[in-house]
């Protein structure tokens, strides 16, 4: 097993890299960035597994350059950075890390909504700057009881709904199809969902269909008293439209964990008090990072031992 | 001259409600916020007279006071108002009202009831998630442009599975418990007495509660018994992975000791809406990323203020119509705070 060559695409989590190193012959793509051609010349036919994440996955170019690639194990639940069609064509297996990160991402979605509506970050800054001595802060918006609209009622969307329900928030959702076994109100059209909720949460997978699913029409429907929370993918939202809506006061506020061009979120948002920005940390807790890493390792071990994969995608 | 219609008394016949200092809602919305056709306000703060003189000169037949946290109702004030029968407060806490003197005089106190419970509970959850997941600190990081230059942000800690210990399982504490259960937290509590029909594990001793939880939430009233309840022993029992959240009253916490623990890394972090000497906050906290602070505004939402407006007017109108109050406080059950 120690001879099996595994390529990790970018720095993701020290513990993961260490665990990979004890079990495999690990290659770190970023160690060879100045001599990429040479690296691929020497090692490309030995590499049997790729470990990617939301920053650097396994695109067609990478897959094509690895003729003996057997498995892509993603350190993420999102698959938008993996060319799944190419993997299917080549018979390459793909695994991801569902379930172990559901709670953390859902917690952050609610945390962002609370932070935006209740102005938590602004209040903290107000106290920190010593301004409280000069007078009181003012009023924020109550979170409990607000209607929450969820785009994508999968594992994460359902977990968000369950939490929001504990705050007496009525739940509605938009999905490709209506889900059986749920009492939440379904909207076939995302614009209708946005028009009928106060907090819109994006929680679906990024595909060609959902690219820019939150566009000008949706933002307008959400309106100046509405809030957008995005813990999915930056590309779900037409970011320039979102920025102008926020700058012009046409949207009430936003809590964003993801952006179209990470790590460079739109600077025009930096001065806005009704916007909370965090650096793609949805699953970034010690507990969950370790659980995700363990799952990646288990999937790889299972594959190379000829056992069933734990969390296969294809 | 037409006779006055008895069911529409002129403004001059309306009974007075005394206000010692403008409540927060007056500061934000103006002094017509609690207006009613059934009473009018006597504003002590608009007079140049010292309070005792003012009360002697103008408040001898006043039956009701509208109080707020910053406008305490002391025994001295009560004794200068022989016809006082009702104190309505806009605040959640009652520690600024001399409840013993009210009980002695048979003065009824009307509280905010449960109108603030949801907002207070929301504040707790907001602060707890922020401390564990570093939301405010990460927001600062991004808005200072550090994401592209410094790259990775330190990992937070998962909320799910954390053991939450609630000090004071009243209306607010119960709303906190309900919310955090949905995040996969387990709940235990400390209270003056064990609650019947409550399945959460009960700890008679706050130190023991702290030793058995990962997040300690303060939701109790400030009384003589709870002053500095959260002290060195409790914080030490909570331990270096523990988080504390206080949305109740600053003096329930030994603030010097809390600051020392935070500065020296003896607890994981703190979410604080209240402080011992508001609006002064210990400067040592300003440099700490694992502390999230708010300016005693857990109930300051548009929605709660509208609910408050209806409640205060409702209580006062009921009183002056000899109808039952909406939110009377059972004074026999209230522990005292000497101030």
């Amino acid at each position: 097993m120690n001879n099996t060559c595994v390529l990790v695409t970018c720095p993701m989590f020290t513990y993961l890299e260490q665990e990979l190193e004890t079990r495999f012959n690990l290659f770190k793509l970023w160690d060879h960035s100045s001599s990429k051609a040479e690296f691929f010349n020497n090692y490309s036919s030995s590499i049997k597994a790729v470990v990617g994440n939301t920053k650097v996955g396994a695109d067609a170019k990478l897959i094509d350059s690895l003729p003996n690639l057997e498995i892509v194990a993603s350190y993420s639940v999102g698959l938008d950075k993996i060319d799944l069609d190419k993997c299917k064509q080549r018979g390459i297996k793909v695994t991801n890390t569902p379930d172990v990160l559901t709670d953390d991402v859902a917690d952050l979605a609610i945390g962002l909504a609370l932070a935006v509506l209740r102005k938590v970050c602004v209040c903290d800054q107000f106290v920190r700057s010593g301004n409280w001595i000069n007078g009181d802060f003012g009023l924020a918006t109550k979170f409990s009881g607000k209607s929450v609209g969820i785009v994508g009622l999968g594992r994460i969307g359902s977990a968000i709904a369950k939490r929001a329900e504990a705050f007496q928030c009525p739940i509605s959702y938009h999905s490709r199809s209506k889900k059986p076994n749920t009492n939440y109100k379904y909207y076939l059209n995302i614009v209708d969902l946005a028009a009928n909720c106060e907090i819109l949460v994006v929680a679906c997978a990024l595909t060609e269909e959902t690219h820019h699913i939150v566009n000008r029409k949706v933002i307008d429907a959400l309106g100046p008293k509405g809030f957008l929370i995005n813990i999915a993918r930056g590309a779900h939202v037409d970011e320039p439209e979102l920025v102008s809506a926020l700058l012009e006061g046409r949207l009430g506020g936003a809590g964003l964990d993801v952006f179209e061009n990470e790590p460079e979120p739109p600077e025009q948002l930096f001065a806005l008090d009704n916007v909370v920005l965090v650096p793609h940390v949805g699953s970034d807790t010690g507990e969950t990072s370790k659980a995700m890493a363990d799952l990646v390792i288990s999937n790889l071990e299972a594959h190379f031992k000829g056992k069933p994969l734990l969390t296969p995608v294809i | 001259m037409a006779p006055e219609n008895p069911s529409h008394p002129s403004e001059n016949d309306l009974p007075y409600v005394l206000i010692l200092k403008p409540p927060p809602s007056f500061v934000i919305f103006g002094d017509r916020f609690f207006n009613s056709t059934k009473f009018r306000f006597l504003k002590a703060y608009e007079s140049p007279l010292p309070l005792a003189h003012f009360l002697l000169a103008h408040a001898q037949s006043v039956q009701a006071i509208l109080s707020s946290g910053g406008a305490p109702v002391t025994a001295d004030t009560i004794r200068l108002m022989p016809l006082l029968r009702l104190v309505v407060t806009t605040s959640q806490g009652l520690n600024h009202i001399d409840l013993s003197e009210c009980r002695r005089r048979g003065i009824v106190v009307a509280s905010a009831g449960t109108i603030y419970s949801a907002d207070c509970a929301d504040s707790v959850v907001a602060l707890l998630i922020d401390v564990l997941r570093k939301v405010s600190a990460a927001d600062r990081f991004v808005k200072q442009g550090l994401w592209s230059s410094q790259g990775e942000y330190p990992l937070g800690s998962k909320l799910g599975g954390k053991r939450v210990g609630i000090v004071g399982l009243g209306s607010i504490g119960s709303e906190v418990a309900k919310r955090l259960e949905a995040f996969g937290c387990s709940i235990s509590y400390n209270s003056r007495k064990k609650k019947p029909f409550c399945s959460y594990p009960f700890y008679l001793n706050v130190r023991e509660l702290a030793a058995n939880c990962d997040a300690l939430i303060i939701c109790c009233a400030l009384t003589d018994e709870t002053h500095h309840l959260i002290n060195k022993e409790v914080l030490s029992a909570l331990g270096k992975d523990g988080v504390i959240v206080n949305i109740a009253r600053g003096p329930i916490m030994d603030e010097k000791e809390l600051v020392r623990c935070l500065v020296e890394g003896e607890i994981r972090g703190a979410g604080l809406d209240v402080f011992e000497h508001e609006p002064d906050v210990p400067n040592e906290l300003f440099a700490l990323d694992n502390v999230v602070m708010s300016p005693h505004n857990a109930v300051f939402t548009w929605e709660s203020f509208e609910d408050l407006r209806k409640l205060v007017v409702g209580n006062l109108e009921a009183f002056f119509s000899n109808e039952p109050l909406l939110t009377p406080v059972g004074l026999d059950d209230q522990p005292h705070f000497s101030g």
Side-chain angles (χ1 to χ4, degrees), chain A residues 119-132 137 270 273, chain B residues 130 136-137 139-141 143-144 286 288-289 291-295:
Chain A
K119 302 190 176 169
V120 177
C121 311
V122 188
C123 282
D124 180 72
Q125 198 47 43
F126 178 79
V127 176
R128 245 170 239 276
S129 62
N131 274 332
W132 192 7
F137 180 76
F270 290 6
D273 275 355
Chain B
D130 195 321
S136 285
D139 177 68
R140 285 195 288 277
F141 178 79
K143 287 177 176 174
Q144 283 163 28
F286 295 170
L288 300 178
D289 267 0
V291 178
V292 182
M293 297 171 283
S294 49

Side-chain angles (χ1 to χ4, degrees), chain A residues 31-53:
Chain A
D31 279 347
H32 305 276
S33 43
S34 51
S35 51
K36 252 202 178 125
E38 205 191 311
F39 168 73
F40 278 100
N41 251 342
N42 294 335
Y43 297 107
S44 59
S45 46
S46 326
I47 288 168
K48 296 211 166 126
V50 164
V51 174
N53 72 352

Side-chain angles (χ1 to χ4, degrees), chain A residues 300-312:
Chain A
L300 289 174
E301 287 189 323
H303 170 72
F304 290 115
K305 286 183 179 153
K307 297 209 171 107
L309 299 173
L310 283 81
T311 48

Side-chain angles (χ1 to χ4, degrees), chain A residues 104 118 124 128 144 146 275, chain B residues 143 179 291 293 298 303:
Chain A
D104 269 352
R118 294 297 301 272
D124 180 72
R128 245 170 239 276
S144 277
K146 289 289 181 295
V275 174
Chain B
K143 287 177 176 174
R179 283 155 177 71
V291 178
M293 297 171 283
E303 293 86 343

